Amino acid sequence: MVIAIVVAAFALIAGLVANRYLRPRLLTEDDDSGMAVKDLVAPLLTLTVLLLAFVLVTANGSYGKAEVASRGEARALDQLVETAEYAPAAQRSDVQADAICYARAVRVKEWPAMSEGKGSTAPSVWSTDLRRTFRTMQGDEAFGMLVSADHKRSDEREERLTQATASIPSAIFWFLLAVLAVTVAALGLCLPRKDNRGQLAALTLVTVLLTATLCIIRDVDRPFGGIVDVEPTAISDVEQQATRDFLAHAKLSDLPCDKQGDRTTS
């Protein structure tokens, strides 16, 4: 985002400098009236706005999918914890403990890693433990429901990790930035050289709006690492609920992990 702001500011300054020193050489006659504001904005701005709008919709779609996947994963994990109540006592404690540790690992380890478009191996430790517990329950009436909930959790996690990666290629972002810079510089060149306060204010406002749109696209396209990001609220709520269910028949010290989701017992 900083690069976008710097490039836009540089383009605006370049356009005004060109208006001051280059435009008189390009004109064969004195022209102090310049273009009207509506004529100034229309040509290049139309293409720029259309491109930004299209890419913004794409980025917003990725953000929405990331939020849906995060909530879906939390719901599947919650279903896993609740279904474990129908399992034998030993497996019930193991499933709920693994679910708590999984939620902690996702919240503490994987969420920060997703800001860079990466995942973490920490949650996989506990999903492997879950499947190991399931194998001891084959033939139990809760087995099918637990496996189904775990498959849903796995699918939603995979979707969440997929959406953590930028959906808009870097080449497209740099192309949009170049179009924005050319548009602002060209419009600055077309400003009237005298009595141009109104046009200058309009151009500055247009530059700010276009730059803000590009920054929003960049931010929304990274749903787990920007200013407007998806918080691990849903998985945190499930962790708290699972902890309450686990403590109804066990002690907190029985958990096989610490508060960061790292294994503490073999």
Side-chain angles (χ1 to χ4, degrees), residues 8 10-12 14-16 18-19 44 180-190 203:
F10 179 79
L12 178 60
L16 296 179
N19 176 270
L44 292 176
L180 186 150
V182 171
T183 300
V184 171
L187 296 181
L189 177 63
C190 294
L203 178 58

Side-chain angles (χ1 to χ4, degrees), residues 154-223:
S154 179
D155 291 342
E156 295 291 359
R157 181 193 178 204
E158 183 177 352
E159 177 66 15
R160 169 171 57 79
L161 292 175
T162 299
Q163 298 305 326
T165 306
S167 60
I168 300 175
S170 297
I172 294 181
F173 175 80
W174 289 112
F175 173 73
L176 289 174
L177 185 58
V179 171
L180 186 150
V182 171
T183 300
V184 171
L187 296 181
L189 177 63
C190 294
L191 283 177
R193 299 181 61 220
K194 295 181 179 179
D195 299 325
N196 62 356
R197 291 184 179 181
Q199 290 89 337
L200 180 59
L203 178 58
T204 302
L205 178 60
V206 168
T207 303
V208 171
L209 292 177
L210 292 178
T211 306
T213 302
L214 192 58
C215 290
I216 290 174
I217 290 173
R218 189 69 168 178
D219 187 80
V220 172
D221 194 40
R222 287 166 169 74

Side-chain angles (χ1 to χ4, degrees), residues 27-101:
L27 298 175
T28 57
E29 59 182 0
D30 185 28
D31 179 17
D32 291 333
S33 61
M35 299 172 62
V37 174
K38 62 179 181 180
D39 297 327
L40 177 77
V41 174
L44 292 176
L45 196 57
T46 300
L47 174 63
T48 305
V49 169
L50 288 175
L51 288 173
L52 289 175
F54 176 78
V55 177
L56 180 59
V57 170
T58 302
N60 186 63
S62 176
Y63 180 91
K65 291 179 181 178
E67 188 171 20
V68 170
S70 300
R71 295 184 180 276
E73 180 186 21
R75 285 194 301 269
L77 190 64
D78 185 52
Q79 182 181 357
L80 195 66
V81 173
E82 293 179 353
T83 305
E85 293 290 339
Y86 300 98
Q91 286 84 358
R92 176 190 61 194
S93 296
D94 289 344
V95 170
Q96 291 180 344
D98 287 341
I100 295 171
C101 294

